[in-house]
Amino acid sequence: GNSVTQMEGPVTLSEEAFLTINCTYTATGYPSLFWYVQYPGEGLQLLLKATKADDKGSNKGFEATYRKETTSFHLEKGSVQVSDSAVYFCALSDRVGGGADGLTFGKGTHLIIQP
Amino acid sequence: DVKVTQSSRYLVKRTGEKVFLECVQDMDHENMFWYRQDPGLGLRLIYFSYDVKMKEKGDIPEGYSVSREKKERFSLILESASTNQTSMYLCASDAPGRSWKQYFGPGTRLTVT
């Protein structure tokens, strides 16, 4: 079955530090990959996605590149802010076309940015 | 903006009670999902539905059932609540053939005592 492995936190960084959160996956076929973010007291929201190998998803200064050869989708940001403090989830979907299926999530990484 | 709303943010129930968690979306999405979120385990899919009256089991359906009588509403039912069902429950919806973006509700934190 599908699975997603991501580094567990909490990860604590100082403001303006460089961020990497590692994510690797196991799936049959060619899944789509996602990063979701959950800010304190809020629901999950999509941060970025990539639907095929070598695609780069980006949003709000965050980036992740779909690496099929290493089955990875690491999240990076060059300079984090206190407002980036949240829980980050890596996820995949092997849904094809118009089908329906849930996402497979990693366990989540709690990121804490200190001023 | 897509809105996914859940009937309660916090709920406390006793062991053995029948519990209903309600979810409503306003974007005419065909697909709706129920996940539970636990520390150290991430999100796990309980059930999903791709059409009215249609349902599919997810990864952890035991102890749960669902109902989808109308397109916009998807209910999660705990027939006889147990303490190991204490968790955060998240509802989501999306449309097939689109960008696979799932829209999530704010969650219901259920405590079973």
Side-chain angles (χ1 to χ4, degrees), chain A residues 25-79:
Chain A
Y25 67 89
T26 302
T28 53
Y30 303 96
S32 295
L33 301 173
F34 308 84
W35 277 99
Y36 276 80
V37 59
Q38 186 177 37
Y39 297 105
E42 298 184 17
L44 267 76
Q45 51 187 282
L46 180 66
L47 180 61
L48 55 83
K49 67 176 172 70
T51 57
K52 61 183 188 295
D54 300 325
D55 266 3
K56 178 186 283 188
S58 61
N59 186 23
K60 299 182 180 180
F62 291 89
E63 292 182 341
T65 301
Y66 187 163
R67 301 285 188 203
K68 183 169 174 292
E69 63 276 12
T70 54
T71 61
S72 65
F73 193 54
H74 304 322
L75 183 68
E76 297 182 335
K77 186 175 185 182
S79 176

Side-chain angles (χ1 to χ4, degrees), chain B:
Chain B
D1 267 1
V2 174
K3 273 221 168 50
V4 179
T5 56
Q6 296 183 229
S7 51
S8 306
R9 291 300 300 270
Y10 300 94
L11 211 51
V12 180
K13 295 292 182 180
R14 293 190 181 278
T15 301
E17 277 193 82
K18 190 168 186 176
V19 181
F20 292 86
L21 302 182
E22 306 286 342
C23 175
V24 177
Q25 51 94 4
D26 67 359
M27 280 300 290
D28 203 35
H29 283 164
E30 287 83 355
N31 301 330
M32 296 188 74
F33 307 82
W34 276 105
Y35 296 87
R36 62 177 283 177
Q37 181 182 4
D38 299 289
L41 295 176
L43 277 77
R44 294 176 292 167
L45 181 66
I46 304 171
Y47 266 98
F48 66 97
S49 168
Y50 53 90
D51 201 351
V52 174
K53 296 193 188 295
M54 306 306 290
K55 60 185 179 185
E56 292 283 346
K57 293 180 179 179
D59 299 318
I60 51 164
E62 296 78 20
Y64 304 94
S65 62
V66 291
S67 172
R68 190 151 180 218
E69 298 295 321
K70 293 185 178 181
K71 190 175 185 180
E72 67 271 18
R73 187 179 298 269
F74 191 36
S75 303
L76 180 68
I77 304 157
L78 287 66
E79 296 289 342
S80 178
S82 64
T83 55
N84 64 11
Q85 292 178 310
T86 291
S87 186
M88 172 71 86
Y89 290 88
L90 298 177
C91 177
S93 73
D94 69 22
R98 305 273 179 89
S99 63
W100 292 286
K101 179 177 178 178
Q102 286 196 355
Y103 295 85
F104 282 82
T108 295
R109 183 165 295 282
L110 172 67
T111 302
V112 182
T113 62

